[in-house]
Amino acid sequence: MSASRRTELRYPGGRRALYGAAAFLASYLAFLPVAALRYEDLLASATVTVDGVSYEVAENLAPESVSTVAGAGHLLFNAQFVPLSVPMDLGVGTAAATVNPLLQAGGIHLLPLLVPAVAFAVSGALATRGVSTSRPLRRARAAAMQFTGVAPLVLIGIPLVSVAASGGNAGPDLLWGIFGAGAFYPAGAGAFGGFLAHKRAGF
């Protein structure tokens, strides 16, 4: 008599998807106070270059008009190397330009880059604590699957944090956001967390 097989549908990534989603939401919450304190200053000093001419981002995206809720989302994506796409009025037309205020500011403003990296590494390690394997790369691959819980939040989050700007909407770059913040970043950081945790006996 053959063993019964489970035929119900299962979400890709299983419980690892939940850990990934939790890490994304925790990172967003961590950026709320950062946005409340620093968003306006970061955007006010940000510049973009179009056809060799430098423009101030604040001329087209007024930072004081961006809510803390949206600003935190912008900075969270920036911390995962996803730039903001801002429509710039060039006088003779409008062109979309990208800018990452955190990277452009540099210095102490690079510290927030650690927030999602650490969150996804920790969630990748925790999500795979029950994985029985003697091979660290296998656990790393399992931890990388947490991206399946992050990708839907990214798809929902990008339009939610997009704001009105001169000539259109400004927000996280869609293509970079989907593939970067939605897949590669949580998968890579999660895999690193799973691999590192495997090297520590008992974790």
Side-chain angles (χ1 to χ4, degrees), residues 22-37:
F24 182 86
L25 293 175
S27 298
Y28 172 76
L29 292 175
F31 272 98
L32 285 173
V34 179
L37 295 172

Side-chain angles (χ1 to χ4, degrees), residues 114-137:
L114 295 173
V115 174
V118 171
F120 285 130
V122 171
S123 62
L126 293 175
T128 54
R129 289 191 71 177
V131 174
S132 178
T133 177
S134 60
R135 300 172 62 184
L137 288 179

